[in-house]
């Protein structure tokens, strides 16, 4: 973690020196934004990791479980690559294996609107 903090501090130092030079307005705004982001990243990195991974609702508090399921991970990788290429995704597999919930969870994590259509053999492109 000390190495990460040193890297952030060195970048902040370089940017702080650069922003004092005579820069075009757009470049100055970009440097100011980067300095703000790096300062925030530095402050967040310094915080205790376990405190950041604690979820509190009302008077209940839980440690985040870091759920990892290999099939969900593979589904996320495939769908995010499809979204990167401006395409959609169509998970295929047996019933009750979590395809719909995986897509909904990914959409929620990305802050995207998700439309789920339950299709069968009689559902064709004209019905869409």
């Amino acid at each position: 973690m000390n190495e990460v903090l040193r890297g952030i501090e060195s970048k902040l130092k370089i940017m702080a020196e650069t922003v004092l030079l005579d820069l075009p307005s757009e470049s100055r705004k970009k440097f100011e934004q980067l300095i703000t982001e790096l300062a925030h990243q530095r402050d967040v990195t310094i915080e205790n990791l376990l405190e950041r991974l604690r979820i509190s609702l009302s008077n209940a508090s839980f440690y985040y479980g870091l759920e990892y399921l290999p099939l969900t991970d593979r589904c996320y990788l495939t769908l995010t690559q499809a979204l990167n290429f401006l395409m959609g995704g169509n998970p295929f597999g047996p019933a009750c294996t979590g395809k719909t919930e995986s897509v909904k969870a990914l959409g929620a994590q990305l802050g995207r609107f998700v439309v789920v259509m339950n299709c069968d053999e009689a559902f064709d492109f004209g019905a869409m």
Side-chain angles (χ1 to χ4, degrees), residues 60-111:
S61 185
F62 305 95
Y63 286 108
Y64 181 64
L66 298 172
E67 176 186 11
Y68 175 79
L69 300 171
L71 292 177
T72 303
D73 188 42
R74 205 172 317 156
C75 180
Y76 281 11
L77 285 172
T78 304
L79 290 173
T80 53
Q81 289 300 307
L83 289 172
N84 186 47
F85 291 115
L86 303 176
M87 301 171 78
N90 184 19
F92 178 77
C96 299
T97 56
K99 298 179 298 291
T100 303
E101 292 306 316
S102 294
V103 171
K104 286 181 180 179
L106 178 63
Q109 290 172 358
L110 296 177

Side-chain angles (χ1 to χ4, degrees), residues 8-70:
I8 292 172
E9 288 292 337
S10 67
K11 290 174 187 170
L12 277 171
K13 183 178 178 182
I14 292 168
M15 287 186 197
E17 292 170 359
T18 306
V19 81
L20 295 176
L21 302 174
D22 188 28
L23 295 173
S25 178
E26 289 181 11
S27 296
R28 181 175 303 283
K29 287 179 184 178
K30 288 178 184 178
F31 272 103
E32 289 171 353
Q33 181 63 35
L34 285 171
I35 289 171
T36 304
E37 291 294 325
L38 278 174
H40 175 70
Q41 184 179 1
R42 177 195 60 199
D43 296 343
V44 168
T45 303
I46 292 172
E47 289 180 10
N48 185 355
L49 182 62
L50 290 177
E51 289 177 9
R52 286 192 3 221
L53 297 176
R54 192 167 181 81
I55 300 170
S56 298
L57 297 169
S58 186
N59 62 349
S61 185
F62 305 95
Y63 286 108
Y64 181 64
L66 298 172
E67 176 186 11
Y68 175 79
L69 300 171

